[in-house]
Short mmCIF file of all heavy atoms in Angstrom, two decimals:
data_model
loop_
_atom_site.label_atom_id
_atom_site.label_comp_id
_atom_site.label_asym_id
_atom_site.label_seq_id
_atom_site.Cartn_x
_atom_site.Cartn_y
_atom_site.Cartn_z
N ASP J 12 107.94 98.72 97.90
CA ASP J 12 106.57 98.75 98.33
C ASP J 12 105.97 97.43 98.50
O ASP J 12 104.79 97.34 98.99
CB ASP J 12 105.81 99.62 97.38
CG ASP J 12 106.23 101.05 97.35
OD1 ASP J 12 106.31 101.66 98.43
OD2 ASP J 12 106.49 101.52 96.28
N VAL J 25 97.50 83.43 102.87
CA VAL J 25 97.43 84.73 102.19
C VAL J 25 97.30 84.51 100.68
O VAL J 25 97.69 83.52 100.15
CB VAL J 25 98.70 85.59 102.43
CG1 VAL J 25 98.81 85.83 103.99
CG2 VAL J 25 99.93 84.87 102.01
N LEU J 26 96.70 85.53 100.03
CA LEU J 26 96.45 85.45 98.54
C LEU J 26 96.87 86.71 97.90
O LEU J 26 96.41 87.84 98.32
CB LEU J 26 94.97 85.18 98.32
CG LEU J 26 94.54 85.10 96.87
CD1 LEU J 26 94.97 83.78 96.26
CD2 LEU J 26 92.99 85.23 96.81
N GLN J 52 88.23 87.78 99.05
CA GLN J 52 88.24 87.49 100.48
C GLN J 52 87.28 86.24 100.67
O GLN J 52 87.58 85.29 101.42
CB GLN J 52 87.78 88.66 101.30
CG GLN J 52 87.85 88.37 102.85
CD GLN J 52 89.20 88.42 103.43
OE1 GLN J 52 89.87 89.42 103.47
NE2 GLN J 52 89.68 87.28 103.89
N PRO J 59 90.31 76.28 101.69
CA PRO J 59 91.59 76.13 102.45
C PRO J 59 92.74 75.80 101.56
O PRO J 59 93.88 75.82 102.10
CB PRO J 59 91.17 75.03 103.42
CG PRO J 59 90.14 74.22 102.80
CD PRO J 59 89.38 75.19 102.00
N ALA J 77 104.66 105.58 103.27
CA ALA J 77 103.37 106.16 103.13
C ALA J 77 103.50 107.57 102.66
O ALA J 77 104.48 108.24 102.96
CB ALA J 77 102.67 106.07 104.49
N GLY J 83 98.21 112.05 116.36
CA GLY J 83 97.54 112.82 117.40
C GLY J 83 97.95 112.49 118.79
O GLY J 83 98.85 111.64 119.00
N LEU J 91 97.62 114.02 131.32
CA LEU J 91 97.56 114.45 132.70
C LEU J 91 98.69 113.91 133.49
O LEU J 91 99.38 114.60 134.31
CB LEU J 91 96.22 113.99 133.26
CG LEU J 91 95.01 114.76 132.85
CD1 LEU J 91 93.76 114.06 133.31
CD2 LEU J 91 95.04 116.18 133.34
N ARG J 107 91.35 122.14 121.11
CA ARG J 107 91.91 121.96 119.83
C ARG J 107 92.76 120.72 119.85
O ARG J 107 93.71 120.63 120.59
CB ARG J 107 92.76 123.24 119.48
CG ARG J 107 93.52 123.21 118.15
CD ARG J 107 94.39 124.41 118.07
NE ARG J 107 95.16 124.49 116.84
CZ ARG J 107 94.65 124.94 115.71
NH1 ARG J 107 93.49 125.43 115.66
NH2 ARG J 107 95.43 124.95 114.58
N ALA J 125 114.62 96.63 115.31
CA ALA J 125 114.48 98.11 115.23
C ALA J 125 115.81 98.74 115.72
O ALA J 125 116.19 98.56 116.86
CB ALA J 125 113.35 98.55 116.19
N MET J 149 89.56 119.20 101.78
CA MET J 149 89.76 120.21 102.74
C MET J 149 88.47 120.75 103.31
O MET J 149 87.44 120.92 102.51
CB MET J 149 90.55 121.43 102.04
CG MET J 149 90.83 122.56 103.03
SD MET J 149 91.88 123.77 102.17
CE MET J 149 90.81 124.37 100.89
N THR J 151 86.51 119.17 105.45
CA THR J 151 85.55 118.11 105.88
C THR J 151 85.19 118.26 107.36
O THR J 151 86.11 118.22 108.19
CB THR J 151 86.16 116.69 105.56
OG1 THR J 151 86.31 116.57 104.15
CG2 THR J 151 85.17 115.67 106.12
N LEU J 165 97.58 98.94 113.72
CA LEU J 165 98.24 98.99 115.07
C LEU J 165 99.66 99.41 114.82
O LEU J 165 100.40 98.75 113.98
CB LEU J 165 98.17 97.60 115.71
CG LEU J 165 98.88 97.43 117.02
CD1 LEU J 165 98.33 98.34 118.05
CD2 LEU J 165 98.77 95.93 117.50
N ALA J 193 106.95 101.59 113.49
CA ALA J 193 106.66 100.17 113.04
C ALA J 193 105.20 99.94 113.03
O ALA J 193 104.44 100.66 113.74
CB ALA J 193 107.42 99.18 113.86
N ARG J 221 106.78 93.38 127.29
CA ARG J 221 108.19 93.74 127.19
C ARG J 221 108.98 92.46 127.72
O ARG J 221 108.87 92.03 128.77
CB ARG J 221 108.43 94.91 128.12
CG ARG J 221 109.96 95.33 128.16
CD ARG J 221 110.14 96.51 129.08
NE ARG J 221 111.57 96.98 129.04
CZ ARG J 221 112.00 98.03 129.66
NH1 ARG J 221 111.14 98.75 130.43
NH2 ARG J 221 113.30 98.37 129.60
N ASN J 222 109.74 91.98 126.72
CA ASN J 222 110.49 90.72 127.01
C ASN J 222 109.61 89.61 127.57
O ASN J 222 109.98 88.78 128.37
CB ASN J 222 111.62 90.97 128.04
CG ASN J 222 112.56 92.05 127.49
OD1 ASN J 222 112.92 92.10 126.33
ND2 ASN J 222 112.94 92.94 128.41
N GLY J 231 91.38 101.31 123.71
CA GLY J 231 91.28 102.55 122.86
C GLY J 231 89.96 103.31 123.02
O GLY J 231 89.84 104.36 122.39
N ALA J 245 92.92 117.69 110.93
CA ALA J 245 93.92 117.58 109.90
C ALA J 245 93.55 118.17 108.60
O ALA J 245 94.45 118.68 107.85
CB ALA J 245 94.39 116.15 109.77
N PRO J 252 95.46 113.23 101.17
CA PRO J 252 95.47 112.25 100.11
C PRO J 252 95.19 110.87 100.50
O PRO J 252 95.44 110.55 101.73
CB PRO J 252 96.93 112.34 99.50
CG PRO J 252 97.74 112.78 100.68
CD PRO J 252 96.82 113.67 101.50
N THR J 261 99.45 107.69 122.15
CA THR J 261 99.59 106.70 123.11
C THR J 261 98.33 106.35 123.77
O THR J 261 97.69 107.16 124.44
CB THR J 261 100.65 107.02 124.15
OG1 THR J 261 101.86 107.49 123.46
CG2 THR J 261 101.02 105.87 125.08
N ASN J 264 94.48 104.72 129.87
CA ASN J 264 93.16 104.65 130.50
C ASN J 264 93.33 105.23 131.92
O ASN J 264 94.37 105.16 132.56
CB ASN J 264 92.67 103.20 130.65
CG ASN J 264 92.26 102.55 129.32
OD1 ASN J 264 92.08 101.43 129.25
ND2 ASN J 264 92.18 103.35 128.21
N ALA J 266 92.08 103.93 134.52
CA ALA J 266 92.42 102.86 135.44
C ALA J 266 93.79 102.32 135.18
O ALA J 266 93.98 101.07 135.09
CB ALA J 266 91.30 101.81 135.31
N GLU J 269 95.27 99.26 137.04
CA GLU J 269 94.87 97.95 136.66
C GLU J 269 95.37 97.53 135.25
O GLU J 269 95.75 96.38 135.06
CB GLU J 269 93.32 97.79 136.75
CG GLU J 269 92.72 97.87 138.08
CD GLU J 269 92.47 99.27 138.65
OE1 GLU J 269 92.19 100.17 137.74
OE2 GLU J 269 92.67 99.49 139.82
N ALA J 276 107.54 105.95 129.21
CA ALA J 276 107.51 107.32 129.73
C ALA J 276 106.35 107.48 130.72
O ALA J 276 106.53 108.11 131.75
CB ALA J 276 107.48 108.37 128.62
N SER J 304 96.33 93.11 119.52
CA SER J 304 94.88 93.41 119.91
C SER J 304 94.07 92.24 119.36
O SER J 304 94.15 91.90 118.19
CB SER J 304 94.53 94.75 119.28
OG SER J 304 93.32 95.22 119.94
N GLY J 323 123.35 101.38 118.94
CA GLY J 323 124.78 101.66 118.94
C GLY J 323 125.62 101.15 117.79
O GLY J 323 126.85 101.38 117.76
N GLY J 325 125.64 102.06 114.55
CA GLY J 325 125.49 103.01 113.42
C GLY J 325 124.03 103.37 113.23
O GLY J 325 123.76 104.05 112.28
#
Side-chain angles (χ1 to χ4, degrees):
D12 297 306
V25 298
L26 179 70
Q52 183 77 67
L91 288 170
R107 181 184 178 86
M149 181 174 65
T151 294
L165 177 59
R221 179 178 183 177
N222 302 318
T261 307
N264 290 170
E269 291 84 35
S304 194

